[in-house]
Every structure is written in structure tokens, then in C-alpha cells.
Amino acid sequence: MSEFSHWHIDFLNKSGADQTNHENLLYANPACAVIAEVWTALKAFHLNGHSLVRCYANAHTYGVEGAPHTDSSLDSNFTTIIYIVPEWKAEWAGETAFFNAEGDIVSSVLPKPNRMITFDGTQLHAARALARICPALRVTLMFKTKAPDAVTA
């Protein structure tokens, strides 16, 4: 881990290689009750049928930038990011940037309060640096999921 790394807390203590549904670990931990409620809401609608593979939070301050990466090599894996910030201004930067195969940024998402985005885990992306003028902590809650198996005829 880099000397200028972000803060990270893993609520399930599981690796991305483990594709087992670990929602029971989230529900069993009283300290994760609010996060479990969010997961229940997500799986009831937005991520219906998905299995919870990983769940964690990250935080970034000025001077901390994520490197471009993918979250999975499996087409069935998805990442949902929820931005847990009370306010955000465009001049604070901190976008989640998405890259094409050539390494160009093709889209980005500002970390506005309670904004959520879900994307394919194989998508190259990165948390961009916060501006020097940003007084806030960029906090994200991540749900890494496995989509239901495709039905075969």
C-alpha cells in the first residue's frame, strides 16, 4: 500500500476472488446495521437477485488519488458506489473517472451527496484527486456483487 493511500474499512473481510454470498456476515454484525439496511434496499430493487461478495468504505483527502483499476475480471461482477458526503462542490473535484481501453477518460461522476452509481466490475476506473481547496472527506460505500447466473435454455 502506498504511503499516500486512502482510508479503508472492509465490513466483510473477504477478497474479491471469493464469489460466495456473504450478506449473512453483514446482517450478523450489529455495528453494520445501517449498512445492512442499505444493502436490503439495494437488493430489493436495484440489485435484485445479486449476491453480496464484498462491502467496504473508502475515504480520500487532498493529496490522495486512486490509480486506474478494475474491481473484477468476471463479467458477472458489479460495483455499486454510494457517495456518503453531506455536501460536494464541483470545484472540489474527486470524481470517479471511467476509462476506455486506450486509457482516455470517457465519463466521470462527481461525489455528490447520496449519489449512487452501479457499473460492470471489469470497467477501468479511478477515484481522482481532491482539489487543494476541498475541506471535506470524500467517503464512499462500496457494494461488490455477483449478478444472478444467466438462465440457459
Side-chain angles (χ1 to χ4, degrees):
M1 193 177 281
S2 165
E3 131 183 37
F4 301 108
S5 187
H6 61 280
W7 287 288
H8 174 83
I9 183 166
D10 192 329
F11 301 113
L12 305 178
N13 295 314
K14 298 295 174 184
S15 74
D18 183 351
Q19 293 290 291
T20 307
N21 186 355
H22 294 294
E23 69 178 28
N24 59 318
L25 298 175
L26 192 63
Y27 291 127
N29 186 344
C32 293
V34 172
I35 298 166
E37 286 181 33
V38 173
W39 169 243
T40 298
L42 287 173
K43 74 176 190 167
F45 175 69
H46 186 67
L47 298 173
N48 188 19
H50 283 235
S51 299
L52 184 61
V53 176
R54 293 184 68 204
C55 182
Y56 58 87
N58 288 335
H60 294 81
T61 58
Y62 169 73
V64 176
E65 182 170 7
H69 66 282
T70 61
D71 292 336
S72 179
S73 61
L74 303 173
D75 290 333
S76 61
N77 282 196
F78 290 83
T79 297
T80 297
I81 300 174
I82 300 175
Y83 298 96
I84 312 295
V85 294
E87 72 170 312
W88 204 264
K89 297 179 181 179
E91 60 267 23
W92 294 352
E95 302 88 355
T96 300
F98 295 92
F99 302 87
N100 63 17
E102 291 76 38
D104 294 319
I105 295 174
V106 293
S107 66
S108 64
V109 176
L110 275 171
K112 290 185 177 180
N114 300 314
R115 178 172 273 175
M116 180 181 81
I117 183 168
T118 297
F119 55 93
D120 187 311
T122 64
Q123 173 68 53
L124 187 63
H125 64 283
R128 305 308 283 179
L130 278 61
R132 180 181 295 264
I133 63 168
C134 179
L137 186 64
R138 178 191 184 272
V139 180
T140 54
L141 177 61
M142 254 67 69
F143 293 92
K144 304 297 178 83
T145 62
K146 180 181 177 220
D149 292 332
V151 178
T152 56

